Amino acid sequence: MSADFANLPGSEFLAQWSVSHGNLRRFLEDTAMPPLDDDAQRAAGQAAAEAAVQDTFGIDLADFSLGVDSVSGAFATAGTSTVTPPDPDIPQDTEAAAFFDVDNTLIQGSSLVLLAAGLARHRFITLRELLPALVKQLRFRLSGSENHDDIASGREHALSLVKGKSVDELRDLCAEIVDQQVLTKAYQPTIELASMHIAAGQQVWLVSATPVQIGQALAERLGFTGALGTVAEEKDGYFTGRLVGDILHGPGKKHAVAALAAIQQLDLQQCTAYSDSINDIPMLSMVGTPVAINPDRALRAHAQSAGWAVREYRRVRRVAGNRAALLAAAGVALGAAAAAWAWRRRS
């Protein structure tokens, strides 16, 4: 090799290539791609994971990790990854699934209100403890939108209510409340939609901010694959007062569905999602077939603009004058709750 050539850029690379010609793998490992130390390997792995999650689901790795925590927490609560196994007589479409919101999509009204009333009847919690949650729920019903501060404070309040309570007792009460109260509010056409997905061999999941025990009891009764919901941490059979993952509201649903899709190897473009609320746009937008059921005004407008299907199962449409009626109902409800609490104190 001439002196001039030896001084050319890359000459050392070529010289080592000549020496290592008989062992390409060793040459690449030692020279072209030297081994990374532990920190460099972790950084490279983190960057690759972040890029993959962003490209696949449009979320960052931290949000995806929260979703994984929510899904694993739901699986742990159920004691299995699926509440209802697939029918062996139905060929399974393993890459497709349907995701259903619960409140005003599967059932009329709020599952959380039904749960709270049932727990109060069984004295699992008191009416006095429930009043802040009822006020926030009424505020949402009147405004049509949810306040992020209300969501955060509501989450902390709910976790404080179950702290130290028995996990088994709550699960049993949730099953009873579903049987006696929640199922009576179900929209039969929505159940029929879910049944069509099951008949096509697709998974059917409930995805709701309601406590996961309610969702899983509903899924079991209706023969759905499973349910993702808000998960409270358990230890030694009692609730710790801490959250597992995130509350499944708005973007939280998208994070959990992304994690579930990765775990179950679902193709989201072959999946369908159903909801009534503009807050669920993140989940609806990530699937191939989004459907608005009993949509609020904002979601209806968005669905019509985007060309999404809209299904209306409510018997009575809301009218502009309903705000006054709701205000009156709110006053009656709060008055009744206060009176009941006062009566209970006297007794």
Side-chain angles (χ1 to χ4, degrees), residues 23-97:
N23 191 341
L24 176 60
R25 178 179 177 182
R26 181 176 178 183
F27 167 75
L28 291 172
E29 289 177 346
D30 293 346
T31 306
M33 296 182 293
L36 300 174
D37 59 27
D38 289 345
D39 289 342
Q41 287 185 22
R42 279 193 293 270
Q46 179 90 357
E50 288 176 349
V53 168
Q54 184 65 46
D55 289 346
T56 304
F57 303 115
I59 60 177
D60 61 37
L61 190 58
D63 289 335
F64 182 77
S65 295
L66 279 175
V68 172
D69 289 343
S70 295
V71 174
S72 61
F75 288 178
T77 299
T80 178
S81 60
T82 57
V83 172
T84 306
D87 187 333
D89 295 328
I90 298 176
Q92 295 300 298
D93 184 353
T94 57
E95 293 186 332

Side-chain angles (χ1 to χ4, degrees), residues 219-232:
E220 182 179 7
R221 298 302 189 269
L222 295 172
F224 297 171
T225 309
L228 304 180
T230 299
V231 180

Side-chain angles (χ1 to χ4, degrees), residues 197-320:
H197 287 284
I198 293 171
Q202 300 176 5
Q203 298 183 31
V204 172
W205 290 85
L206 299 179
V207 185
S208 173
T210 199
V212 70
Q213 290 85 356
I214 283 286
Q216 289 176 345
L218 258 176
E220 182 179 7
R221 298 302 189 269
L222 295 172
F224 297 171
T225 309
L228 304 180
T230 299
V231 180
E233 184 184 64
E234 306 170 10
K235 184 177 181 180
D236 299 328
Y238 295 90
F239 292 107
T240 66
R242 292 187 291 269
L243 190 68
V244 175
D246 199 3
I247 188 168
L248 292 202
H249 173 272
K253 290 186 179 181
K254 178 176 181 176
H255 305 157
V257 168
L260 182 67
I263 293 167
Q264 302 283 46
Q265 299 183 340
L266 300 171
D267 179 355
L268 288 174
Q269 287 307 302
Q270 297 186 44
C271 293
T272 309
Y274 300 88
S275 179
D276 73 297
S277 174
I278 190 67
N279 295 308
D280 287 340
I281 287 288
M283 178 180 74
L284 291 167
S285 298
M286 71 189 303
V287 299
T289 307
V291 181
I293 291 184
N294 304 329
D296 57 32
R297 185 179 302 173
L299 179 59
R300 182 181 296 276
H302 183 94
Q304 291 173 342
S305 174
W308 295 354
V310 176
R311 296 178 181 268
E312 181 61 63
Y313 298 144
R314 290 170 293 200
R315 293 180 181 177
V316 180
R317 297 291 300 276
R318 292 177 182 171
V319 295

Side-chain angles (χ1 to χ4, degrees), residues 100-107 187 190 274-276 293-294:
F100 286 82
D101 173 47
V102 173
D103 295 355
N104 293 314
T105 302
L106 176 63
I107 68 167
Y187 288 110
T190 304
Y274 300 88
S275 179
D276 73 297
I293 291 184
N294 304 329

